[in-house]
Amino acid sequence: ISKEDAGFFNFFFFFPEINDSEGHPSSSHQTLKGTSKWATSLESLLEDPEGVKRFREFLKKEFSEENVLFWLACEEFKKTQGKKQMQEKAKEIYMTFLSSKASSQVNVEGQSRLSETILETPHPLMFQKLQDQIFNLMKYDSYSRFLKSDIFLNHKKSEEQEENSPEAQTAAKRASRIYNT
């Protein structure tokens, strides 16, 4: 997060009572959530557990769920501590996604494939190049289709129905009164 973003965040975090001309909370400080957030970028989608769940559901129907599973495994791998644990996880990722005998083989460029020898000396970013390839594949291929899919659109519709329900509007009015007093 940049200094400007941090300043912007702090300003709105500490002054939540800012309202528009009609007395409603200003939309500029309301954080996006759910499908609205997912639609901003693949990165935002992958930060949300529910978004990941829906994206996986979509990719499963497209027979490419292994892409997001590989990406998630690489993210988890980067957090791994200790050489022995890294070796174990690296081998698991290799055998699951990268080996010619992999059960969920990802489609990465041939020259980018890792040889098993690299598994002996693992490091947190050893899969980064391959992870980036898969991320770009998802970003420029699957993600745009996901945003047009029934899975996404139905979830968006149900969110909108929840937001427009009488209970949600009453809660919003109560919250607005609290901030405006």
Side-chain angles (χ1 to χ4, degrees):
I1 189 167
S2 71
K3 281 185 180 178
E4 290 125 19
D5 291 339
F8 184 78
F9 171 77
N10 287 335
F11 179 79
F12 283 113
F13 181 76
F14 292 109
F15 299 101
E17 66 282 347
I18 296 173
N19 298 301
D20 65 17
S21 60
E22 297 172 13
H24 299 104
S26 171
S27 61
S28 63
H29 79 282
Q30 292 175 340
T31 56
L32 294 174
K33 57 186 175 194
T35 55
S36 298
K37 185 177 179 188
W38 304 347
T40 61
S41 69
L42 178 57
E43 291 89 337
S44 296
L45 171 72
L46 294 172
E47 288 171 1
D48 183 342
E50 182 65 22
V52 170
K53 178 181 170 186
R54 300 297 174 168
F55 192 48
R56 280 185 64 186
E57 191 180 323
F58 169 75
L59 291 176
K60 199 177 284 187
K61 289 182 175 191
E62 291 213 330
F63 305 101
S64 59
E65 182 187 23
E66 68 278 357
N67 291 335
V68 74
L69 294 176
F70 173 72
W71 188 88
L72 292 167
C74 291
E75 285 299 291
E76 196 58 38
F77 178 76
K78 291 175 190 175
K79 301 173 195 169
T80 305
Q81 301 291 314
K83 186 178 178 185
K84 186 167 174 41
Q85 288 85 356
M86 284 186 106
Q87 284 176 323
E88 288 171 9
K89 281 194 176 187
K91 185 173 184 177
E92 185 180 320
I93 289 171
Y94 180 82
M95 297 309 287
T96 305
F97 301 106
L98 301 170
S99 159
S100 59
K101 301 173 193 134
S103 56
S104 299
Q105 192 177 49
V106 291
N107 185 13
V108 290
E109 293 176 24
Q111 69 270 26
S112 297
R113 287 204 174 276
L114 300 174
S115 68
E116 280 189 68
T117 56
I118 196 170
L119 300 176
E120 297 305 314
T121 55
H123 58 88
L125 300 177
M126 67 187 281
F127 297 115
Q128 190 64 54
K129 185 176 177 185
L130 301 174
Q131 185 185 15
D132 290 345
Q133 275 188 41
I134 293 300
F135 179 85
N136 286 327
L137 178 68
M138 291 188 300
K139 182 175 184 172
Y140 297 110
D141 186 38
S142 314
Y143 175 65
S144 57
R145 286 195 310 279
F146 170 71
L147 295 178
K148 298 172 191 163
S149 72
D150 286 344
I151 292 171
F152 176 81
L153 296 173
N154 290 339
H155 193 73
K156 183 177 180 178
K157 186 189 251 181
S158 68
E159 275 183 352
E160 289 167 355
Q161 287 171 345
E162 280 178 30
E163 287 174 11
N164 294 328
S165 71
E167 298 86 24
Q169 290 176 355
T170 304
K173 286 179 184 173
R174 279 197 308 269
S176 178
R177 284 197 298 270
I178 292 168
Y179 281 125
N180 290 325
T181 56

